[in-house]
Amino acid sequence: MNKTIRTEIFTRLRDANPHPTTELNYNSPFELLIAVLLSAQATDVGVNKATAKLFPVANTPQQILDLGLDTLREYVKTIGLYQTKSKHIMQTCRLLLEKYGGEVPQTREELEALPGVGRKTANVVLNTAFGQAVMAVDTHIFRVSNRTKIATGKDVREVEDKLMRFIPKEFLMDAHHWLILHGRYTCKAQKPQCSRCLIQDLCEYGAKNL
């Protein structure tokens, strides 16, 4: 796949959705951080249901610490791996207060030093909360990138590095959201919806479902 085709792919995605954003509900960088921490191996819908109850009660590091671990668990117990995630959230809140005055840091290194925050989570926060042109590669983006041949790679880091290199700069800020949404609703894992895909004539997938 060449630059001309990639440019056309992202032009079409942009034309169809000029202002994409995450489907996680949040009103501050801290709320987004907590929502993304909860979203690992969980759906955005499930996370939103839990945070709709949690955030009106506690949406700052101090308020969540004040809840206590057991109460926090009650709010998020419908989410997979909630026991571990709850511990990480409490530890993260403590660190945010101790090191950053309760604010969410704005560098990948500082974010990745927080309990439970990996590279993907850090990149989501940097991109969505702080407007940095970075690429958070989840399972949807990994699949779409390899299937379409926009950027192929054996692991998420290889795909991330190639996407950062290959995607024209004018699209980088929003590319993360376009690719996730495309993978979630059109280029699905089991049954890609190729017949209604707006980039199917540009995609290099060899087994299109037409």
Side-chain angles (χ1 to χ4, degrees):
M1 182 172 288
N2 59 37
K3 183 179 179 181
T4 301
I5 293 174
R6 289 190 184 94
T7 299
E8 178 60 22
I9 285 173
F10 284 100
T11 298
R12 291 185 191 179
L13 292 173
R14 181 177 63 188
D15 288 348
N17 186 4
H19 305 291
T21 189
T22 179
E23 293 187 319
L24 291 168
N25 296 332
Y26 74 99
N27 290 300
S28 69
F30 177 72
E31 286 189 0
L32 178 64
L33 174 62
I34 298 306
V36 180
L37 272 170
L38 290 170
S39 72
Q41 298 178 48
T43 66
D44 288 359
V45 172
V47 172
N48 287 338
K49 284 181 180 176
T51 57
K53 296 175 181 175
L54 172 64
F55 288 158
V57 175
N59 69 344
T60 68
Q62 187 62 61
Q63 288 173 344
I64 285 184
L65 285 177
D66 290 344
L67 280 182
L69 181 57
D70 290 343
T71 304
L72 176 62
R73 281 177 179 151
E74 283 300 306
Y75 278 105
V76 301
K77 67 183 179 182
T78 54
I79 295 171
L81 308 175
Y82 78 96
Q83 302 266 24
T84 301
K85 292 174 181 178
S86 296
K87 288 178 186 172
H88 284 158
I89 288 170
M90 296 299 280
Q91 293 165 344
T92 286
C93 287
R94 202 165 287 117
L95 266 177
L96 290 177
L97 286 165
E98 289 172 0
K99 292 189 69 174
Y100 304 106
E103 299 297 317
V104 177
Q106 298 189 34
T107 71
R108 183 186 288 115
E109 294 71 27
E110 290 171 314
L111 285 166
E112 285 191 51
L114 298 171
V117 177
R119 186 178 181 88
K120 185 192 79 174
T121 297
N123 280 346
V124 171
V125 174
L126 291 172
N127 177 263
T128 306
F130 299 125
Q132 296 186 28
V134 294
M135 183 64 57
V137 178
D138 70 347
T139 54
H140 294 302
I141 293 181
F142 185 76
R143 177 179 67 255
V144 170
S145 298
N146 274 293
R147 188 183 268 170
T148 60
K149 304 294 192 289
I150 290 172
T152 58
K154 296 183 294 295
D155 55 52
V156 292
R157 183 58 193 273
E158 185 179 0
V159 169
E160 177 190 331
D161 291 342
K162 285 186 176 179
L163 286 169
M164 292 297 293
R165 203 161 69 240
F166 293 157
I167 294 173
K169 283 192 168 50
E170 66 177 297
F171 303 110
L172 257 182
M173 185 63 70
D174 293 320
H176 156 79
H177 297 300
W178 287 319
L179 291 173
I180 282 180
L181 294 170
H182 192 65
R184 188 171 286 165
Y185 296 111
T186 304
C187 198
K188 299 178 181 180
Q190 299 301 322
K191 199 171 183 183
Q193 310 291 300
C194 302
S195 60
R196 63 178 186 83
C197 174
L198 54 78
I199 61 167
Q200 65 96 352
D201 57 316
L202 305 171
C203 163
E204 296 181 14
Y205 183 45
K208 289 178 183 172
N209 177 32
L210 298 170

